[in-house]
Amino acid sequence: MNAVHSAWQGAGRRIHMQEVGTRDGLQMEAAFVPTADKIALVNQLSAAGLDKIEVSAFVSPAAVPALRDAEVVLREIERHPGVVYAALVPNVRGAERAIESKVDELNLVMSASETHNLANLRMTRAQSFRALAEVVALGRSAGVAVNVSLSCVFGCPMEGEVAVDEVFDLIERFDQLGVHGLTLCDTTGMAHPAQVARLVAMARVRWPRQTFTLHFHNTRGMGLANVLAAIDAGADRFDASIGGLGGCPYAPGATGNVCTEEIVHALQCMDFHVPVDLARVMHAAARLPALVGHEVPSQLLKAGPRLQLHPPPADFAAVRERALART
């Protein structure tokens, strides 16, 4: 493996971190996070240097009440140069609302699994593709970038394995439409590192000019391992969620997405160039339990960075003296 693509030799290689907690995380919460707090959270993440922030979703307020304030949030956040502000949109009407709110990128979602697509979106994959093709056309005509997120790329909780040929057929069709980027999603945390390495390597060879993002969940504790496997195969863009917020209704008991501060911390330790202010992200994450009403999965919040030092025991001097006296 070329050293530039080795997960064990960061050597200053640039990794792009993209925040999805403000959409993918908050949409799963029972408590409504006040609009002003959402805006403040996005502003903190912008100041921390995230490359992209998926701010909200322009979906039916009845379906996702937690994000019913999408327009207000998009319009009132502080926009930082170089940060892409994205929003999930399910259809043309959602895209129109997002474009009116000055979104930088539209994120469209469908599943690589027929069963999951029907259960989650109430459409066949063919119906979803036709609907999303209209949104792609609208985005292109409006001069707004379009990203497509393919769910269940690494497995479906109802079907099991999803054939790589089916995944690649969808990638090819969206690539032909001229989308700006494609996100390969491990929606329910079924991916494993060997599978990730194979699929990412194959996709990058077949579509060398396409911009791929990897979106992992930590459902079975393999989130960071999957990130490293993807890096080893050449990937350099990752979604993550502050505090590890998130989940999926089709993965009972699942933890959330991979945790932003944990991934940033790990990659910075390994000498990758991840220009994110970890202290700022952790400060923002520390406010989450009060906002959502429960503890968050982040282990880094509990333990702190690896070189966060602690004082020795109160009787350390006496222990040392006794030890020296014995020698």
Side-chain angles (χ1 to χ4, degrees), residues 45-205:
L45 293 167
S46 294
L50 277 300
D51 290 287
K52 183 192 296 186
I53 302 173
E54 191 175 39
V55 176
S56 193
F58 287 82
V59 294
S60 165
V64 188
L67 302 180
R68 61 180 181 266
D69 52 1
E71 278 95 346
V72 178
V73 176
L74 256 295
R75 288 172 181 163
E76 295 190 7
I77 57 174
E78 298 171 5
R79 309 260 176 149
H80 285 234
V83 180
V84 174
Y85 297 94
L88 182 144
V89 300
N91 49 38
V92 167
R93 179 56 192 139
E96 290 171 342
R97 290 169 56 203
I99 291 169
E100 289 168 4
S101 300
K102 308 300 182 184
V103 75
D104 295 327
E105 181 180 281
L106 303 172
N107 185 31
L108 319 182
V109 177
M110 68 168 290
S111 184
S113 156
E114 182 78 357
T115 304
H116 184 266
N117 206 71
L118 280 163
N120 193 42
L121 301 176
R122 305 295 189 263
M123 290 187 284
T124 66
R125 286 177 298 185
Q127 290 168 333
S128 280
F129 181 83
R130 288 194 296 270
L132 295 187
E134 295 181 19
V135 183
V136 174
L138 172 63
R140 297 191 69 182
S141 67
V144 176
V146 178
N147 182 84
V148 174
S149 292
L150 295 177
S151 304
C152 294
V153 163
F154 300 95
C156 169
M158 291 163 278
E159 290 185 13
E161 299 289 357
V162 175
V164 172
D165 287 348
E166 295 183 32
V167 174
F168 281 9
D169 177 66
L170 287 170
I171 292 175
E172 177 64 25
R173 294 172 72 187
F174 281 114
D175 185 68
Q176 290 298 315
L177 290 180
V179 299
H180 177 74
L182 282 153
T183 302
L184 307 179
C185 301
D186 180 29
T187 311
T188 58
M190 296 174 69
H192 62 82
Q195 174 195 29
V196 168
R198 286 194 301 268
L199 192 143
V200 171
M202 291 167 63
R204 292 185 70 254
V205 167

